[in-house]
Structure formats: C-alpha cells, structure tokens
Amino acid sequence: MRLRRSRCLTCYWHEGAFVVHPHPHGTSMELHPAAAEILTAFDEWSTPDEAAGRLGHLTPDTIEEAVAALVDAGALLAQGSTAARRDELIAGQWGAWMPEASFFHYATSDVYDGHPAGDAPAPPDGEAGDPAGAEAPAGPLPPLFTSHPAAPRVLLPRRPAELRTPLGEVLYDRRTHRDFTGAPVSLDTLAALLAAVFGPVDFIDCGRGALYRRTSPQGGSRQEIDAYVGVLGVSGLSPGWYHYNGLLHALELLSEGFTPQDAAHLCADQSWAARPAFFVVLAARLERMSVKYPTPRAYRVCLLDAGHLGQTFALTATALGLGPAQTGAFRDSAVAGRCGLDNTGHTPLYVLAAGHPEPEARDAPPPAGVAAFEATTLVAP
Ligand SMILES: Cc1cc2nc3c(=O)[nH]c(=O)nc-3n(C[C@H](O)[C@H](O)[C@H](O)COP(=O)(O)O)c2cc1C
C-alpha cells in the first residue's frame, strides 16, 4: 500500500502534547513529535518500506507503529482511496488559503455531530433553549460594557436617529462610497448612528444576570464587539481615537490626533480611506463570547456578528444621508494600537467608515455593458 501525507494536515503543540490534526476527515491525535519526521517521509506516495529507508535512525517497529496510528488518524492516506481523492480536491479548492483558512474552517466544522447528549458544545444561538451541555460555566461573568473611566469623556446628544426613510429605499440606495465631500459630519448625526447601531436596545435575563440586545442579532447576545471611533471630521470633536461607551452613550478619548494620511495607511494604503469623516473599528472582546461558548467554533460567530453590525451600520448611515464604506484590509496591529487595544483578548475584526458622499462619485464602478458581459461566464456551459 502506498501512502501520502494528507495535504490538509496541521501539527501543533497543545497543553504540552504534540498534536497531529488532519481535516476535514480524520481526528486530532496526540503523538510523539517523531511523528512529524515520519510524516515528512511521506511527502509523496511511498510504501512504508520506502519511507523507512529515509528514516534510517528510527527502528522498523517504531515506524510501523507510527504509520498505523497516522493511517488511523487520517494523517496518512492510501493511494486511490476516497479520502485521498477528497484531500486533493480540498487542497485544490482552498489553494493559497491553506493551511490557515481551511484548518480553521474544517477544524471547527461538524462539532455538533457525534457527541453524546450533554457533551456537545453549545451552539451560540441564544441564552434560552440551549441544549443539554450548554450550561454556562460557573464563575464571574465579564462586564457587559467596556469602559475607560480615566479617559476624558464627551457625553453625546441623545436625539434619536430620524429613520423614516422606507426600508426599500434604504436597501437599494446603500452603496459603498469611496468619495466624500470632506464636509464635517454633525455630532448629532454621529451620535444617532452610534446609538442606533451599537447602543443597547433592551436588557434580557439570561438566568445568570442581564444581557443586552442591539438592533443587530448577535450570537448568544454576548455583545462581544466594541466600537472604537477614529474621528477626522466631526463637528465639535477633535481628530483622534475614541471608544464608544454604549452604556453612557459617550465617547471616551483614547488618543488625540488622526490624519487622512494615517487613515489611508491604517487601511493598507487604500487611497479612498483618506476621505471619510470618521471610522468605526469593530473589535471583539473574546472573553465575553468564550466564557459562554468554549468551542473554538464560536470565533466564527464573532466574525458573523461583526458582519451584522457592519450591515446595520451601512443601512443606518445611508438612512441618515451618509455614505458608508467598509474594509477587511487593514493593518491589524496598528489599528489595535490606535484603539488602545493590546490585541490579545481584544482584537479588531472589521473597519467601517462614513462621511458625506460626493454626489458624483469618481471611484464608482461603471455599469456593466456589452463588453463586460461578453467577458463574463454567467453560468457554466
Ligand atoms: C467584508 C467586506 C470587506 C470589504 N473590503 C473592501 C476593501 O478593502 N476596499 C474597498 O474598496 N472595498 C471593500 N469592500 C466593499 C466592496 O468592494 C463592495 O461592497 C462591493 O464592491 C459591492 O459594492 P456595494 O457595496 O456598493 O454594493 C468590502 C466589503 C465588505 C462587505
């Protein structure tokens, strides 16, 4: 039998043990670190004897035993097997995203299958109605709101957003804007937007205390995402970085000074990013989610939560007459630094922006015409 190392394989140390973790099929196994060397010998299809020839210093018994364990775990695949074909397919599909993206995706997939009742990780689907095994671990819960008591504060105006534009209009008017007039956004407008997107709407009893809800659905109502505001042009606010304290409806000044050049730099040198009036960095405080959901799958929910907030931000900004923008391309460590985050348990996920949009956007893509459609495969032939 000829064997090859799975292309979809990640090895790491966890709690002192060396772990060989094939995905999506296969199981993670704690093995002696010599397993890494044995796996290296199966870079290409080889029989165990051929591999043993490359591993002269290991005894045949050690190799035989390790090969059996690695085959069982799915780390070594048999030539011509279904698993080997699927492994090739996955490696081809995920391509340059491997191993980071595919490992996270598959290692956190199917986590609700095959667990005896009561052993399954809790799906992050709300405090009520979680299945057996979803009991929140005992111990103190982290604070619901982030606060910077020592920071100078601006209590924001409390005039609620005028959101009377029909939903249909807002939905179809929403566009990503990259051209802005440069006119400052009023403090009233920024305050209304922050309250509508990030402020608490109501409080619910989760059985162990209160949680709050926002206008966006958020996994388990954990509200792990905080909003940090980078101000370039907002009347009444000096340029700088602020934290939005949703409990107090206040901006807490973290650092003074912020320039259009700095904004573009933070957004991976995208030129449009020098033009919005303000930015909102969505940063996850992981502990708020992980204290309830120890499964690493819950990190997916943090990303989904950020997407929900991003969409609510875009729609609300549109309804308020602003042009929204967003980017996943930003300098993570530098953005974290501007927000005063240590970037360990409190880390930026998404960067949003808005300003008064130019009526005639220079950077807007033209509508697709005949030439564009000619160059496009609409459906597989
Ligand atoms: C998660 C996400 C990340 C994005 N990142 C960028 C970006 O880095 N730079 C950019 O110019 N636009 C970015 N966009 C905007 C998209 O290019 C835009 O949404 C898309 O072209 C469709 O246009 P529309 O938003 O006007 O419908 C991003 C959008 C989303 C949802």
Side-chain angles (χ1 to χ4, degrees):
M1 180 173 52
R2 293 168 82 76
L3 302 168
R4 182 180 50 61
R5 191 178 66 250
S6 168
R7 302 274 184 249
C8 307
L9 178 67
T10 302
C11 298
Y12 50 90
W13 280 263
H14 183 63
E15 293 175 353
F18 180 69
V19 181
V20 172
H21 195 151
H23 57 278
H25 36 255
T27 38
S28 61
M29 277 190 91
E30 292 182 5
L31 292 172
H32 188 278
E37 214 181 340
I38 295 169
L39 285 166
T40 309
F42 285 95
D43 206 29
E44 297 303 336
W45 294 114
S46 309
T47 63
D49 282 349
E50 287 166 346
R54 292 177 214 124
L55 295 163
H57 57 294
L58 296 177
T59 67
D61 282 356
T62 306
I63 296 173
E64 196 180 321
E65 205 180 302
V67 166
L70 291 168
V71 169
D72 272 356
L76 286 176
L77 303 173
Q79 195 167 25
S81 64
T82 309
R85 274 194 297 277
R86 195 165 149 70
D87 186 65
E88 292 280 3
L89 273 177
I90 290 173
Q93 297 281 340
W94 286 77
W97 290 3
M98 286 186 76
E100 295 90 336
S102 59
F103 178 66
F104 173 63
H105 180 77
Y106 288 115
T108 58
S109 288
D110 299 327
V111 295
Y112 305 114
D113 298 345
H115 286 274
D119 186 31
D125 62 357
E127 296 298 313
D130 282 348
E135 297 281 308
L141 295 173
L144 292 191
F145 294 91
T146 298
S147 176
H148 296 265
R153 280 191 180 130
V154 177
L155 296 180
L156 293 169
R158 288 179 181 261
R159 187 185 292 272
E162 294 253 346
L163 297 172
R164 297 217 185 83
T165 320
L167 176 63
E169 232 172 271
V170 176
L171 274 180
Y172 287 94
D173 281 351
R174 183 215 57 82
R175 277 286 154 264
T176 296
H177 290 263
R178 298 181 186 86
D179 271 318
F180 300 91
T181 62
V185 167
S186 75
L187 191 61
D188 273 355
T189 304
L190 175 65
L193 176 65
L194 293 174
V197 182
F198 302 107
V201 169
D202 61 9
F203 291 81
I204 54 175
D205 184 347
C206 76
R208 289 186 62 200
L211 291 172
Y212 72 95
R213 296 192 288 199
R214 285 168 161 158
T215 50
S216 300
Q218 298 282 280
S221 245
R222 305 311 303 170
Q223 309 300 358
E224 76 284 1
I225 295 183
D226 291 334
Y228 290 82
V229 184
V231 169
L232 287 173
V234 176
S235 339
L237 289 179
S238 28
W241 282 91
Y242 301 78
H243 166 251
Y244 176 61
N245 182 323
L247 182 64
L248 299 179
H249 187 49
L251 286 174
E252 298 167 328
L253 179 62
L254 303 172
S255 64
E256 280 181 291
F258 185 34
T259 63
Q261 295 72 23
D262 195 23
H265 172 77
L266 291 177
C267 294
D269 300 309
Q270 299 182 77
S271 55
W272 65 264
R275 300 194 280 264
F278 62 89
F279 289 78
V280 178
V281 172
L282 305 190
R285 197 173 264 277
L286 303 177
E287 187 197 12
R288 270 191 219 131
M289 181 63 87
S290 63
V291 74
K292 168 74 179 173
Y293 303 115
T295 169
R297 185 183 173 92
Y299 181 65
R300 290 188 188 199
V301 177
C302 297
L303 303 179
L304 298 171
D305 284 347
H308 277 287
L309 289 171
Q311 180 69 358
T312 304
F313 174 91
L315 293 177
T316 310
T318 304
L320 292 171
L322 298 178
Q326 60 283 310
T327 179
F330 57 88
R331 297 176 194 265
D332 306 68
S333 303
V335 167
R338 296 303 192 285
C339 300
L341 304 176
D342 63 3
N343 207 13
T344 55
H346 201 174
T347 188
L349 299 181
Y350 200 7
V351 174
L352 315 173
H356 288 294
E358 277 288 2
E360 298 296 329
R362 280 171 296 166
D363 285 2
V370 170
F373 283 112
E374 272 178 349
T376 305
T377 308
L378 287 179
V379 287

